[in-house]
Amino acid sequence: MLERRASCREIARELGRSPSTVSAEVASHRFVTAPKARRGERVDASADLSAACPRLAAWPRCCNGCGRYRAIGCKRRPHVFYEARAAQLCADSVLVSSRLFSSRP
């Protein structure tokens, strides 16, 4: 839905969640795709990337929903994307590590 440039409220309505939950999820699970030296680096919610691009400081907080990036290509760096699969892998790894630590005597 980010790539269709849906608003935070539209996505929240579709998922049955609060808009603040959707916004926090996107902000906390963003990953750098360019430049190559930073590829795969996770960008946390507190990172201020507004100097790179003002769109990264407000919704959608990533390049997925930016028409400029999709239409003609954007020269600004870093490119920051939200990808549900990567966010799920990150959440799963946190869950597994918490179970490992809690099961030790």
Side-chain angles (χ1 to χ4, degrees):
M1 292 182 80
L2 283 172
E3 292 182 6
R4 291 190 309 225
R5 302 180 73 188
S7 72
C8 183
R9 291 186 184 280
E10 289 175 79
I11 295 172
R13 198 175 312 117
E14 180 79 22
L15 297 174
R17 299 281 188 241
S18 163
S20 63
T21 302
V22 172
S23 179
E25 168 66 18
V26 171
S28 65
H29 290 101
R30 299 177 294 172
F31 297 90
V32 175
T33 59
K36 287 183 181 179
R38 292 183 63 186
R39 183 170 289 157
E41 177 184 321
R42 185 171 170 202
V43 180
D44 65 353
S46 63
D48 181 22
L49 298 172
S50 59
C53 179
R55 296 286 308 249
L56 298 177
W59 182 258
R61 299 191 188 283
C62 56
C63 299
N64 297 48
C66 180
R68 178 177 178 189
Y69 178 79
R70 292 290 178 204
I72 59 172
C74 181
K75 302 294 184 201
R76 294 181 180 184
R77 297 287 192 265
H79 288 161
V80 180
F81 281 81
Y82 173 83
E83 185 180 336
R85 186 177 350 169
Q88 187 63 50
L89 288 172
C90 186
D92 290 345
S93 70
V94 169
L95 183 62
V96 167
S97 67
S98 69
R99 287 182 181 162
L100 290 175
F101 290 119
S102 66
S103 65
R104 292 183 181 173

